[in-house]
Amino acid sequence: MASFVIEGGHRLNGEIHPQGAKNEVLQIICATLLTKEEVTVNHIPDILDVNNLIQLMREMGVDVAKTGVDSYTFKAENIDLAYLESEEFLKKCSSLRGSVMLIGPMVARFGKALISKPGGDKIGRRRLDTHLVGIQNLGADFRYDEERGVYEITAERLRGAYMLLDEASVTGTANIVMAAVLAKGTTTIYNAACEPYLQQLCRMLNRMGAKIGGIASNLLTIEGVEELHGTEHRVLPDMIEVGSFIGMAAMTGSEITIKNVSYENLGIIPESFRRLGIKLEQRGDDIYVPAQDSYQIESFIDGSIMTIADAPWPGLTPDLLSVMLVVATQAKGSVLIHQKMFESRLFFVDKLIDMGAQIILCDPHRAVVIGHNHGFRLRGARLTSPDIRAGIALLIAAMSAEGTSTISNIEQIDRGYQNIEGRLNAIGARITRI
């Protein structure tokens, strides 16, 4: 098991480029199963979750070739259907959260999918009802084998249907869209997720020959087609990494420029950091964060304490609340962080309290942060990364802390951040991988 040793207190300076978006590329790779023709995907991040999915695709029979530093081609012409029912395949799916998005493409194209309960972050209950009920609405039958922990979904031919999703699940919407593009007739999905990554998936499918209307809204209309063909696609920059770098700059009093962020696809993220008092400027498609000795949390117009909460797009992504909570520990003022969508993501705050942060954990969803205003620095500590986003938040805390910190279980960070220590060390951090 690898660890990071972080020497805190060093300011960053320079330019950093965000990687391709993890949450987009997992959908895009699964979508390549919908055609037997070649699909080229560019700006793929070199991270554990993505690499594991690419390897799984190879083992399924997809012809995968690396054509550049971050470019791959996928050709799903000869899929090994027997392998898709093997215990080896099911075991690999159980350790990879993104594998759940194989259901839609496999049922749409091959009429059958077996998948084990997927893994991923331990951040609370992450149900699959939206995925399975949505695909069931298209005419699929599904059975859950409780003893093996395996879902079996079958359909001779999917048929379009109207559905109102009970939650605007991003991966659930992606799965249903990928199933519906090859269904017979028209599918209408209301309360669909409309994140930029879902928009990217829909636009790529349209270039492949799908007929999807209502992109960027929560009402999607999909007219089924007989087949899809190949295309080329470029993955957006990772908005979570962009937000993480903004937080790092604020916590360490650093001046950095985050390059090529696709600013129009960041939504409310820049404004949410401004509410914490952080200055940042849009310069073309870059974000410039000046060095700040202090930053003051805003209050609401009536003077009440600021609340920052997650919400489905275009609200604030839940993946950044861990970062914003850490950043608030050195702000001037107080803020209530309300994590509505996952019930276990705030449990890492006990590590921050051990480092000297003033945080009141109200319940599994809410924490009040009382900022130090840089009057008191966090102390170095021995830490463990519980999930991807808490892991990067703890790394930010350690970079700003006094003394040396050690973070173990950094495989969780590697799942979502490409060569993070190399890129940060290049602009002044002191992080060693052990």
Side-chain angles (χ1 to χ4, degrees), residues 67-222:
T67 57
V69 174
D70 58 5
S71 298
Y72 286 80
T73 59
F74 301 85
K75 191 172 184 181
E77 186 175 16
N78 299 303
I79 299 300
D80 183 353
L81 298 178
Y83 177 73
L84 302 185
E85 299 187 27
S86 69
E87 290 300 322
E88 182 185 346
F89 172 73
L90 295 171
K91 184 179 179 181
K92 290 189 175 180
C93 289
S94 69
S95 63
L96 180 61
R97 180 74 193 176
S99 65
V100 70
M101 287 179 289
L102 295 170
I103 296 173
M106 290 197 299
V107 174
R109 188 168 162 211
F110 306 114
K112 185 175 183 179
L114 261 72
I115 196 156
S116 53
K117 195 171 182 179
D121 286 332
K122 305 306 178 189
I123 55 176
R125 191 170 62 95
R126 303 173 79 182
R127 60 192 181 89
L128 297 178
D129 300 51
T130 305
H131 301 250
L132 300 177
V133 172
I135 293 172
Q136 190 178 29
N137 285 338
L138 297 174
D141 295 316
F142 80 91
R143 181 175 65 86
Y144 179 58
D145 185 333
E146 194 167 344
E147 187 176 330
R148 298 171 68 202
V150 173
Y151 297 92
E152 181 177 353
I153 306 97
T154 57
E156 286 188 17
R157 176 72 192 269
L158 298 176
R159 295 186 176 276
Y162 170 86
M163 63 188 82
L164 173 59
L165 304 187
D166 67 336
E167 62 169 349
S169 163
V170 179
T171 54
T173 302
N175 234 338
I176 297 165
V177 167
M178 288 188 283
V181 291
L182 293 180
K184 184 177 177 63
T186 300
T187 300
T188 303
I189 309 172
Y190 203 11
N191 195 30
C194 52
E195 270 79 352
Y197 304 146
L198 201 284
Q199 297 173 35
Q200 285 278 96
L201 172 67
C202 291
R203 292 187 181 111
M204 184 187 90
L205 291 172
N206 278 352
R207 291 196 302 274
M208 294 169 70
K211 296 179 179 178
I212 305 172
I215 298 173
S217 79
N218 68 349
L219 180 60
L220 295 175
T221 303
I222 304 159

Side-chain angles (χ1 to χ4, degrees), residues 247 250-253 272-279 292-299 306 308 323-337 356-359 369-378 400:
M251 280 287 280
T252 58
S272 297
F273 279 102
R274 290 188 181 105
R275 293 171 93 183
L276 294 179
I278 297 167
K279 296 175 183 175
Q292 289 179 254
D293 292 328
S294 67
Y295 45 96
Q296 181 166 349
I297 298 170
E298 295 178 1
S299 59
M306 174 61 62
I308 293 180
V323 170
M324 300 193 81
L325 186 149
V326 166
V327 172
T329 64
Q330 289 299 333
K332 181 180 181 181
S334 301
V335 64
L336 172 65
I337 301 291
Q358 293 188 320
I359 304 171
V369 185
I370 300 141
H372 290 305
N373 191 25
H374 287 287
F376 174 83
R377 284 175 60 187
L378 300 180
S400 73

